[in-house]
Each structure stands twice: as structure tokens, then as C-alpha cells.
């Protein structure tokens, strides 16, 4: 019986050693899992902060868009109201008002058209002299208006081109 007990004692010690090794391995794995869990919790908290910030920015953008939308709608209606005769009338003007010249400078810029060399000039806008620069109306804007597709380009810009203004 002592021999059997001694043999069982050896098996028990061996099993205890194996169990302790396994337990140590589990403790190490648990510590690693806890460390990763803490990292994941940190990442999750950062993501939640980002989500809240993005939500606030989205709401702010929506408010800004709501304020701007009436102006966009008004500009689209203005583009849609332009007729070829209107362009012809502006081309026939010997010396259009300074505001018309400035508007065409803006159109040249939006269409990436060439501008005249910048030279200082006084322009009259709303009966007020403003120190500015000489507009590019002659010859750049006149050439642009002479393009038979100019009106179509304006309409297309109003429909889709404005989306790429910031590119």
C-alpha cells in the first residue's frame, strides 16, 4: 500500500506542478488581456470623444448650410434667369459700370480664366469711389462672353461646378 501511495504521491506532485505552471500561464494571459482591455477602453473613450466632436461639427455645419441655402437658391435662380440677350446686351456696352466689370472678374476667377495685370484703380460702386484694381473686363471677360458655350458653362457651373470650388 505504501508503494501505491508513493506512486500516487509522485503523480499528485506532477499534477500539482503542471497545474501551477498552467495557473501561472493563465495569470500572465489574464494580465496581458487586462492590459489590452485597458488600451481598448482608452481607444473607445477617444472614439466617443471624436464622435461627440464630429456630431457638434456636423450640427454647426448644418446650421451654417441652413443660413447659406437661401443665398445659394437665389444665386441658382439668378443663373437660370440669364438669357443670351442679356449677355449680348453687356457685350454691346461701350463702358459697363464698374460693378459689372467686377462681377465678370469673379466669373473669370471661378472659371480659372486669365486676368489682366493688377494695376491700382479707383472704381465706383454704389456711387462710392473705392480704391481697388483695374478689372479684367477688356479683353478677358469680353472674350469669355464671345464663347458660344458661355451661357451653358454658367448654367453648368451653377448646377455642379460650385461643388468643386474648394478643390
Amino acid at each position: 500500500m505504501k508503494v501505491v501511495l508513493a506512486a500516487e504521491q509522485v503523480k499528485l506532485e506532477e499534477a500539482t506542478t503542471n497545474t501551477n505552471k498552467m495557473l501561472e500561464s493563465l495569470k500572465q494571459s489574464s494580465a496581458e488581456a487586462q492590459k489590452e482591455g485597458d488600451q481598448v477602453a482608452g481607444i473607445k473613450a477617444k472614439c466617443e470623444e471624436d464622435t461627440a466632436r464630429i456630431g457638434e461639427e456636423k450640427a454647426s455645419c448644418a446650421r451654417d448650410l441652413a443660413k447659406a441655402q437661401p443665398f445659394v437658391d437665389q444665386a441658382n435662380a439668378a443663373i437660370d434667369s440669364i438669357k443670351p440677350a442679356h449677355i449680348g446686351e453687356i457685350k454691346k456696352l461701350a463702358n459697363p459700370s464698374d460693378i459689372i466689370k467686377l462681377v465678370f472678374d469673379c466669373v473669370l476667377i471661378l472659371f480659372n480664366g486669365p486676368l489682366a495685370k493688377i494695376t491700382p484703380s479707383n472704381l465706383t460702386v454704389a456711387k462710392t469711389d473705392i480704391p481697388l484694381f483695374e478689372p479684367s473686363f477688356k479683353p478677358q471677360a469680353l472674350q469669355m462672353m464671345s464663347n458660344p458655350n458661355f451661357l451653358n458653362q454658367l448654367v453648368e457651373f451653377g448646377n455642379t461646378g460650385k461643388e468643386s470650388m474648394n478643390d
Side-chain angles (χ1 to χ4, degrees):
M1 181 142 187
K2 284 185 182 189
V3 174
V4 173
L5 272 175
E8 291 298 319
Q9 184 64 31
V10 170
K11 287 181 185 177
L12 181 61
E13 287 174 9
E14 199 175 294
T16 301
T17 302
N18 289 339
T19 302
N20 287 338
K21 286 180 184 176
M22 189 185 310
L23 194 57
E24 189 60 38
S25 175
L26 287 173
K27 284 181 184 178
Q28 186 178 2
S29 295
S30 176
E32 289 173 7
Q34 181 64 39
K35 184 178 175 183
E36 286 184 26
D38 292 345
Q39 289 175 342
V40 168
I43 292 170
K44 179 182 176 191
K46 177 74 170 110
C47 288
E48 288 171 347
E49 289 173 14
D50 288 347
T51 300
R53 181 184 49 79
I54 290 169
E56 290 170 8
E57 288 177 11
K58 180 180 178 184
S60 174
C61 289
R63 287 190 298 273
D64 289 348
L65 179 61
K67 289 177 188 175
Q69 192 61 48
F71 298 107
V72 171
D73 294 341
Q74 187 178 10
N76 284 335
I79 289 173
D80 291 342
S81 72
I82 298 172
K83 305 292 180 231
H86 298 139
I87 294 169
E89 183 179 332
I90 292 172
K91 285 178 11 183
K92 289 179 187 176
L93 293 174
N95 189 25
S97 67
D98 289 339
I99 191 68
I100 290 174
K101 294 176 185 177
L102 287 173
V103 166
F104 275 94
D105 271 9
C106 294
V107 174
L108 283 165
I109 290 169
L110 290 174
F111 284 6
N112 293 317
L115 296 173
K117 182 179 176 187
I118 301 295
T119 54
S121 178
N122 283 326
L123 303 180
T124 304
V125 177
K127 298 181 183 178
T128 304
D129 283 343
I130 301 171
L132 212 55
F133 54 88
E134 189 63 35
S136 299
F137 189 78
K138 292 181 182 179
Q140 287 86 348
L142 288 174
Q143 289 172 350
M144 179 179 59
M145 286 188 289
S146 295
N147 180 342
N149 291 322
F150 175 63
L151 183 55
N152 290 336
Q153 289 172 332
L154 275 178
V155 171
E156 182 60 27
F157 182 84
N159 291 334
T160 60
K162 62 185 177 285
E163 305 299 332
S164 62
M165 282 177 39
N166 293 329
D167 290 347

